[in-house]
Amino acid sequence: MWFGGGPIDAAGALRGFVREAGGCAVVDGGLGTELEAHGADLHDALWSAKCLASAPHLIRKVHLDYLEAGADVIISASYQATIEGFQSRGFSRDESEELLRRSVHVAQEARRVFAAEGDRSSRRGRPPALVAASVGSYGAYRADGSEYSGDYGKSMTKEDLKNFHRRRLQVLAGAGPDLIAFETIPNKLEAQVYAELLEENGIRIPAWFSFTSKDGVNAASGDPINECAAVADSCPRVAAVGVNCTAPRFIHGLILSIKKVTSKPIVVYPNSGESYVAETNEWVDSDGATGTDDFVSRVGEWRRAGAALIGGCCRTSPATVRAIARAVREAEYDDIPAVAVL
């Protein structure tokens, strides 16, 4: 195990990996956009998880593209993969659980293929890449954009959410990932659910919690980002805390807010700056949207603010990750702590 066999120190383990990676660990970017670029039809509530059943070879190809771009961490295609979602498409419960495991195994296979056949010059002196199992929010399962609002209805309780996530988390953890990435968390309640499930199920695999924000101050639901981050900070199994799928222009302020309540590594992997329209399943230009060049130009600012992991989410690509990695590795920030790049 990359994080050791003794009592878990998740944050310390992640810091150790980053140091071994030379102070800069690169994590991959968006998956869905790249799958579409390779010919996948994702007009489905399962989104990229659809390819776990229909085209796992395309998922492996995207993972390999990110490894070739310099990724030290690749994230599994399980963001929108749930037992309930697969069952709604006619899969049995056993088949649904096997598809969840496949998300991790396909990423692990890509890592093995890259180690055997890929251009390893970019990995010289750095440890093998880690595989992170993605856990999307309840809103991602609903496929109605509610991961960007946190509005699950007044009847939704903590126990309801725990019952929804419990078996999925158990299956993903059992598949043997190196990390568990709880992504696009829209509210404090779901963060509390994740923290409790990690403890109750004895999950020893280090995790990170990343929230989504629409205003640079609060999580998508309106819960203050510092209160959300404090939930993650209180869980010893959480290795890093941060924000993803949020406009780049909000990231600097969010880092400063999170830094006030945690000493754990801070992870930021914003989207392209475009806005998602749930009714049409499309991303559209919005004020302040940035291209790759402008996106990458912000990396130094985010590092100086205190981010320890930096990267891209929806609508970013291997080209984005390659550019971020180059910007970080070529720059000399002698006064900045070791970081990881997503």
Short mmCIF file of all heavy atoms in Angstrom, two decimals, residues 194-246:
data_model
loop_
_atom_site.label_atom_id
_atom_site.label_comp_id
_atom_site.label_asym_id
_atom_site.label_seq_id
_atom_site.Cartn_x
_atom_site.Cartn_y
_atom_site.Cartn_z
N TYR A 194 -20.47 11.43 3.98
CA TYR A 194 -19.25 10.76 3.55
C TYR A 194 -18.30 10.51 4.73
O TYR A 194 -17.73 9.43 4.86
CB TYR A 194 -18.52 11.59 2.50
CG TYR A 194 -19.23 11.72 1.16
CD1 TYR A 194 -19.10 12.88 0.40
CD2 TYR A 194 -20.00 10.69 0.65
CE1 TYR A 194 -19.72 13.00 -0.83
CE2 TYR A 194 -20.63 10.80 -0.58
CZ TYR A 194 -20.48 11.97 -1.32
OH TYR A 194 -21.10 12.09 -2.54
N ALA A 195 -18.13 11.53 5.57
CA ALA A 195 -17.23 11.40 6.71
C ALA A 195 -17.69 10.27 7.63
O ALA A 195 -16.88 9.45 8.11
CB ALA A 195 -17.14 12.71 7.47
N GLU A 196 -18.98 10.20 7.89
CA GLU A 196 -19.51 9.16 8.77
C GLU A 196 -19.40 7.78 8.14
O GLU A 196 -19.07 6.80 8.82
CB GLU A 196 -20.96 9.48 9.14
CG GLU A 196 -21.08 10.70 10.04
CD GLU A 196 -22.52 11.02 10.43
OE1 GLU A 196 -23.40 10.15 10.24
OE2 GLU A 196 -22.77 12.15 10.92
N LEU A 197 -19.64 7.69 6.83
CA LEU A 197 -19.51 6.40 6.17
C LEU A 197 -18.07 5.89 6.16
O LEU A 197 -17.82 4.69 6.33
CB LEU A 197 -20.04 6.49 4.73
CG LEU A 197 -21.56 6.56 4.58
CD1 LEU A 197 -21.93 6.77 3.11
CD2 LEU A 197 -22.24 5.29 5.10
N LEU A 198 -17.12 6.78 5.96
CA LEU A 198 -15.72 6.37 6.01
C LEU A 198 -15.37 5.77 7.37
O LEU A 198 -14.69 4.75 7.47
CB LEU A 198 -14.81 7.57 5.71
CG LEU A 198 -14.76 8.04 4.26
CD1 LEU A 198 -14.01 9.37 4.17
CD2 LEU A 198 -14.08 7.01 3.37
N GLU A 199 -15.85 6.41 8.43
CA GLU A 199 -15.57 5.92 9.78
C GLU A 199 -16.33 4.63 10.07
O GLU A 199 -15.76 3.65 10.57
CB GLU A 199 -15.95 7.00 10.80
CG GLU A 199 -15.13 8.28 10.70
CD GLU A 199 -13.69 8.09 11.15
OE1 GLU A 199 -13.41 7.12 11.88
OE2 GLU A 199 -12.83 8.91 10.78
N GLU A 200 -17.62 4.62 9.78
CA GLU A 200 -18.46 3.46 10.11
C GLU A 200 -18.05 2.20 9.37
O GLU A 200 -18.22 1.08 9.89
CB GLU A 200 -19.92 3.79 9.80
CG GLU A 200 -20.53 4.85 10.72
CD GLU A 200 -21.86 5.37 10.22
OE1 GLU A 200 -22.37 4.86 9.20
OE2 GLU A 200 -22.40 6.30 10.85
N ASN A 201 -17.53 2.37 8.16
CA ASN A 201 -17.16 1.20 7.35
C ASN A 201 -15.67 0.87 7.44
O ASN A 201 -15.20 -0.03 6.75
CB ASN A 201 -17.56 1.43 5.89
CG ASN A 201 -19.06 1.40 5.71
OD1 ASN A 201 -19.66 0.33 5.56
ND2 ASN A 201 -19.70 2.57 5.72
N GLY A 202 -14.95 1.61 8.28
CA GLY A 202 -13.54 1.31 8.47
C GLY A 202 -12.71 1.44 7.21
O GLY A 202 -11.75 0.68 7.01
N ILE A 203 -13.06 2.39 6.35
CA ILE A 203 -12.32 2.58 5.10
C ILE A 203 -10.96 3.20 5.41
O ILE A 203 -10.88 4.31 5.95
CB ILE A 203 -13.09 3.50 4.13
CG1 ILE A 203 -14.50 2.96 3.87
CG2 ILE A 203 -12.31 3.66 2.82
CD1 ILE A 203 -14.57 1.63 3.19
N ARG A 204 -9.90 2.49 5.09
CA ARG A 204 -8.56 2.99 5.38
C ARG A 204 -7.92 3.70 4.19
O ARG A 204 -6.86 4.30 4.33
CB ARG A 204 -7.65 1.83 5.82
CG ARG A 204 -8.08 1.18 7.13
CD ARG A 204 -7.00 0.24 7.65
NE ARG A 204 -5.78 0.96 8.01
CZ ARG A 204 -4.69 1.01 7.27
NH1 ARG A 204 -4.64 0.40 6.08
NH2 ARG A 204 -3.63 1.69 7.67
N ILE A 205 -8.53 3.60 3.05
CA ILE A 205 -7.97 4.24 1.86
C ILE A 205 -8.11 5.76 1.99
O ILE A 205 -9.21 6.26 2.25
CB ILE A 205 -8.70 3.75 0.60
CG1 ILE A 205 -8.53 2.24 0.46
CG2 ILE A 205 -8.19 4.46 -0.65
CD1 ILE A 205 -9.46 1.62 -0.57
N PRO A 206 -7.03 6.52 1.83
CA PRO A 206 -7.13 7.98 1.93
C PRO A 206 -8.13 8.54 0.92
O PRO A 206 -8.28 8.04 -0.20
CB PRO A 206 -5.70 8.45 1.62
CG PRO A 206 -4.84 7.29 2.00
CD PRO A 206 -5.64 6.06 1.63
N ALA A 207 -8.82 9.60 1.34
CA ALA A 207 -9.84 10.22 0.49
C ALA A 207 -9.59 11.71 0.39
O ALA A 207 -8.86 12.30 1.20
CB ALA A 207 -11.23 9.98 1.10
N TRP A 208 -10.18 12.32 -0.64
CA TRP A 208 -10.28 13.79 -0.62
C TRP A 208 -11.73 14.18 -0.82
O TRP A 208 -12.51 13.46 -1.44
CB TRP A 208 -9.34 14.47 -1.61
CG TRP A 208 -9.65 14.42 -3.07
CD1 TRP A 208 -10.80 14.80 -3.69
CD2 TRP A 208 -8.75 14.03 -4.12
NE1 TRP A 208 -10.71 14.65 -5.04
CE2 TRP A 208 -9.45 14.19 -5.34
CE3 TRP A 208 -7.43 13.60 -4.14
CZ2 TRP A 208 -8.86 13.91 -6.56
CZ3 TRP A 208 -6.85 13.32 -5.37
CH2 TRP A 208 -7.56 13.46 -6.56
N PHE A 209 -12.08 15.33 -0.24
CA PHE A 209 -13.40 15.93 -0.40
C PHE A 209 -13.24 17.20 -1.22
O PHE A 209 -12.48 18.09 -0.84
CB PHE A 209 -14.01 16.33 0.96
CG PHE A 209 -14.56 15.21 1.80
CD1 PHE A 209 -14.29 13.88 1.50
CD2 PHE A 209 -15.35 15.49 2.90
CE1 PHE A 209 -14.80 12.85 2.29
CE2 PHE A 209 -15.86 14.47 3.69
CZ PHE A 209 -15.58 13.15 3.40
N SER A 210 -13.95 17.30 -2.35
CA SER A 210 -13.92 18.54 -3.13
C SER A 210 -15.35 19.01 -3.37
O SER A 210 -16.21 18.24 -3.81
CB SER A 210 -13.15 18.37 -4.44
OG SER A 210 -13.69 17.33 -5.23
N PHE A 211 -15.59 20.28 -3.07
CA PHE A 211 -16.91 20.88 -3.15
C PHE A 211 -17.05 21.68 -4.44
O PHE A 211 -16.07 21.97 -5.13
CB PHE A 211 -17.13 21.79 -1.94
CG PHE A 211 -17.06 21.06 -0.63
CD1 PHE A 211 -15.84 20.87 0.02
CD2 PHE A 211 -18.20 20.53 -0.04
CE1 PHE A 211 -15.75 20.17 1.22
CE2 PHE A 211 -18.13 19.83 1.17
CZ PHE A 211 -16.90 19.65 1.79
N THR A 212 -18.27 22.05 -4.77
CA THR A 212 -18.51 22.92 -5.91
C THR A 212 -19.14 24.22 -5.44
O THR A 212 -19.90 24.24 -4.46
CB THR A 212 -19.42 22.23 -6.96
OG1 THR A 212 -19.57 23.08 -8.09
CG2 THR A 212 -20.78 21.90 -6.40
N SER A 213 -18.79 25.32 -6.10
CA SER A 213 -19.25 26.64 -5.70
C SER A 213 -19.67 27.45 -6.92
O SER A 213 -19.06 27.34 -7.98
CB SER A 213 -18.14 27.38 -4.93
OG SER A 213 -18.50 28.71 -4.64
N LYS A 214 -20.69 28.27 -6.72
CA LYS A 214 -21.15 29.13 -7.82
C LYS A 214 -20.80 30.60 -7.59
O LYS A 214 -20.97 31.42 -8.50
CB LYS A 214 -22.67 29.01 -7.97
CG LYS A 214 -23.15 27.64 -8.41
CD LYS A 214 -24.65 27.61 -8.66
CE LYS A 214 -25.45 27.80 -7.37
NZ LYS A 214 -26.90 27.61 -7.59
N ASP A 215 -20.35 30.94 -6.37
CA ASP A 215 -20.13 32.35 -6.07
C ASP A 215 -18.77 32.65 -5.45
O ASP A 215 -18.46 33.81 -5.16
CB ASP A 215 -21.23 32.87 -5.15
CG ASP A 215 -21.28 32.13 -3.81
OD1 ASP A 215 -20.39 31.32 -3.53
OD2 ASP A 215 -22.24 32.38 -3.04
N GLY A 216 -17.95 31.63 -5.22
CA GLY A 216 -16.63 31.86 -4.66
C GLY A 216 -16.61 32.05 -3.15
O GLY A 216 -15.54 32.29 -2.58
N VAL A 217 -17.76 31.89 -2.51
CA VAL A 217 -17.85 32.07 -1.06
C VAL A 217 -18.50 30.86 -0.39
O VAL A 217 -18.06 30.41 0.67
CB VAL A 217 -18.68 33.33 -0.71
CG1 VAL A 217 -18.83 33.48 0.80
CG2 VAL A 217 -18.03 34.57 -1.31
N ASN A 218 -19.52 30.33 -1.04
CA ASN A 218 -20.31 29.23 -0.50
C ASN A 218 -20.24 28.00 -1.40
O ASN A 218 -19.91 28.11 -2.58
CB ASN A 218 -21.77 29.65 -0.36
CG ASN A 218 -21.94 30.90 0.47
OD1 ASN A 218 -21.58 30.94 1.65
ND2 ASN A 218 -22.47 31.96 -0.15
N ALA A 219 -20.59 26.85 -0.82
CA ALA A 219 -20.83 25.67 -1.64
C ALA A 219 -22.08 25.94 -2.47
O ALA A 219 -22.82 26.90 -2.24
CB ALA A 219 -21.01 24.44 -0.76
N ALA A 220 -22.34 25.07 -3.43
CA ALA A 220 -23.44 25.30 -4.37
C ALA A 220 -24.79 25.48 -3.67
O ALA A 220 -25.66 26.22 -4.14
CB ALA A 220 -23.53 24.15 -5.36
N SER A 221 -24.96 24.82 -2.52
CA SER A 221 -26.22 24.89 -1.79
C SER A 221 -26.41 26.20 -1.05
O SER A 221 -27.52 26.51 -0.60
CB SER A 221 -26.27 23.75 -0.76
OG SER A 221 -25.24 23.94 0.20
N GLY A 222 -25.33 26.94 -0.88
CA GLY A 222 -25.37 28.14 -0.04
C GLY A 222 -24.71 27.95 1.30
O GLY A 222 -24.50 28.90 2.05
N ASP A 223 -24.35 26.70 1.65
CA ASP A 223 -23.61 26.46 2.88
C ASP A 223 -22.23 27.11 2.77
O ASP A 223 -21.54 26.93 1.75
CB ASP A 223 -23.42 24.96 3.12
CG ASP A 223 -24.73 24.22 3.38
OD1 ASP A 223 -25.66 24.85 3.90
OD2 ASP A 223 -24.80 23.01 3.07
N PRO A 224 -21.79 27.84 3.79
CA PRO A 224 -20.47 28.48 3.72
C PRO A 224 -19.37 27.46 3.46
O PRO A 224 -19.34 26.39 4.07
CB PRO A 224 -20.32 29.13 5.11
CG PRO A 224 -21.73 29.37 5.55
CD PRO A 224 -22.51 28.19 5.04
N ILE A 225 -18.47 27.79 2.57
CA ILE A 225 -17.43 26.83 2.18
C ILE A 225 -16.54 26.47 3.36
O ILE A 225 -16.07 25.33 3.47
CB ILE A 225 -16.59 27.37 1.00
CG1 ILE A 225 -15.77 26.24 0.36
CG2 ILE A 225 -15.69 28.52 1.44
CD1 ILE A 225 -16.59 25.20 -0.35
N ASN A 226 -16.32 27.41 4.30
CA ASN A 226 -15.47 27.08 5.43
C ASN A 226 -16.13 26.06 6.36
O ASN A 226 -15.46 25.22 6.95
CB ASN A 226 -15.06 28.34 6.20
CG ASN A 226 -16.24 29.12 6.74
OD1 ASN A 226 -17.37 28.97 6.25
ND2 ASN A 226 -16.00 29.95 7.73
N GLU A 227 -17.46 26.09 6.46
CA GLU A 227 -18.16 25.08 7.26
C GLU A 227 -18.08 23.71 6.60
O GLU A 227 -17.92 22.68 7.28
CB GLU A 227 -19.62 25.49 7.47
CG GLU A 227 -19.80 26.73 8.33
CD GLU A 227 -21.27 27.05 8.57
OE1 GLU A 227 -22.13 26.19 8.25
OE2 GLU A 227 -21.55 28.16 9.08
N CYS A 228 -18.19 23.68 5.29
CA CYS A 228 -18.06 22.41 4.56
C CYS A 228 -16.65 21.84 4.71
O CYS A 228 -16.47 20.65 4.97
CB CYS A 228 -18.38 22.63 3.09
SG CYS A 228 -20.09 23.10 2.74
N ALA A 229 -15.66 22.71 4.55
CA ALA A 229 -14.28 22.25 4.66
C ALA A 229 -13.96 21.77 6.07
O ALA A 229 -13.16 20.84 6.25
CB ALA A 229 -13.33 23.38 4.27
N ALA A 230 -14.58 22.37 7.07
CA ALA A 230 -14.35 21.95 8.46
C ALA A 230 -14.82 20.52 8.69
O ALA A 230 -14.24 19.78 9.49
CB ALA A 230 -15.04 22.91 9.42
N VAL A 231 -15.89 20.11 8.01
CA VAL A 231 -16.36 18.73 8.11
C VAL A 231 -15.27 17.78 7.60
O VAL A 231 -14.96 16.77 8.24
CB VAL A 231 -17.66 18.52 7.31
CG1 VAL A 231 -18.04 17.05 7.27
CG2 VAL A 231 -18.79 19.35 7.90
N ALA A 232 -14.70 18.10 6.46
CA ALA A 232 -13.63 17.28 5.90
C ALA A 232 -12.41 17.28 6.81
O ALA A 232 -11.77 16.24 7.02
CB ALA A 232 -13.27 17.78 4.51
N ASP A 233 -12.08 18.43 7.36
CA ASP A 233 -10.91 18.53 8.22
C ASP A 233 -11.05 17.64 9.46
O ASP A 233 -10.06 17.10 9.96
CB ASP A 233 -10.71 19.98 8.65
CG ASP A 233 -9.50 20.15 9.53
OD1 ASP A 233 -8.37 20.02 9.01
OD2 ASP A 233 -9.67 20.41 10.75
N SER A 234 -12.28 17.48 9.93
CA SER A 234 -12.51 16.71 11.16
C SER A 234 -12.40 15.20 10.97
O SER A 234 -12.34 14.46 11.94
CB SER A 234 -13.89 17.04 11.73
OG SER A 234 -14.92 16.52 10.90
N CYS A 235 -12.36 14.74 9.72
CA CYS A 235 -12.31 13.30 9.43
C CYS A 235 -10.87 12.88 9.18
O CYS A 235 -10.25 13.32 8.20
CB CYS A 235 -13.18 12.98 8.22
SG CYS A 235 -13.19 11.22 7.80
N PRO A 236 -10.29 12.01 10.03
CA PRO A 236 -8.89 11.64 9.86
C PRO A 236 -8.60 10.87 8.57
O PRO A 236 -7.45 10.80 8.13
CB PRO A 236 -8.61 10.76 11.09
CG PRO A 236 -9.94 10.29 11.56
CD PRO A 236 -10.90 11.39 11.22
N ARG A 237 -9.63 10.30 7.95
CA ARG A 237 -9.43 9.56 6.72
C ARG A 237 -9.38 10.45 5.48
O ARG A 237 -9.13 9.97 4.38
CB ARG A 237 -10.51 8.48 6.58
CG ARG A 237 -10.33 7.32 7.55
CD ARG A 237 -11.54 6.43 7.63
NE ARG A 237 -11.26 5.18 8.34
CZ ARG A 237 -11.20 5.05 9.66
NH1 ARG A 237 -11.42 6.11 10.43
NH2 ARG A 237 -10.94 3.89 10.22
N VAL A 238 -9.64 11.73 5.66
CA VAL A 238 -9.59 12.69 4.54
C VAL A 238 -8.18 13.24 4.42
O VAL A 238 -7.64 13.81 5.37
CB VAL A 238 -10.61 13.82 4.74
CG1 VAL A 238 -10.43 14.89 3.66
CG2 VAL A 238 -12.03 13.26 4.69
N ALA A 239 -7.60 13.08 3.23
CA ALA A 239 -6.23 13.50 2.99
C ALA A 239 -6.11 14.92 2.46
O ALA A 239 -5.09 15.58 2.65
CB ALA A 239 -5.57 12.54 2.00
N ALA A 240 -7.15 15.39 1.77
CA ALA A 240 -7.11 16.72 1.17
C ALA A 240 -8.53 17.26 1.07
O ALA A 240 -9.50 16.51 1.02
CB ALA A 240 -6.47 16.68 -0.22
N VAL A 241 -8.63 18.58 1.03
CA VAL A 241 -9.92 19.28 1.00
C VAL A 241 -9.85 20.34 -0.09
O VAL A 241 -8.82 21.00 -0.24
CB VAL A 241 -10.22 19.98 2.35
CG1 VAL A 241 -11.64 20.52 2.36
CG2 VAL A 241 -9.98 19.06 3.52
N GLY A 242 -10.94 20.54 -0.83
CA GLY A 242 -10.88 21.58 -1.84
C GLY A 242 -12.14 21.76 -2.65
O GLY A 242 -13.24 21.53 -2.16
N VAL A 243 -11.95 22.15 -3.91
CA VAL A 243 -13.04 22.55 -4.78
C VAL A 243 -12.79 22.01 -6.18
O VAL A 243 -11.66 22.00 -6.66
CB VAL A 243 -13.14 24.09 -4.87
CG1 VAL A 243 -14.32 24.51 -5.73
CG2 VAL A 243 -13.26 24.71 -3.48
N ASN A 244 -13.86 21.53 -6.84
CA ASN A 244 -13.74 21.15 -8.24
C ASN A 244 -14.98 21.60 -9.01
O ASN A 244 -15.97 22.04 -8.41
CB ASN A 244 -13.54 19.63 -8.39
CG ASN A 244 -14.81 18.82 -8.18
OD1 ASN A 244 -15.32 18.76 -7.06
ND2 ASN A 244 -15.31 18.19 -9.23
N CYS A 245 -14.92 21.49 -10.31
CA CYS A 245 -16.00 21.87 -11.23
C CYS A 245 -16.60 23.22 -10.86
O CYS A 245 -17.82 23.39 -10.79
CB CYS A 245 -17.08 20.79 -11.28
SG CYS A 245 -17.77 20.64 -12.96
N THR A 246 -15.72 24.18 -10.67
CA THR A 246 -16.07 25.54 -10.30
C THR A 246 -15.29 26.48 -11.22
O THR A 246 -14.19 26.14 -11.66
CB THR A 246 -15.68 25.79 -8.82
OG1 THR A 246 -16.48 24.96 -7.98
CG2 THR A 246 -15.85 27.23 -8.41
#
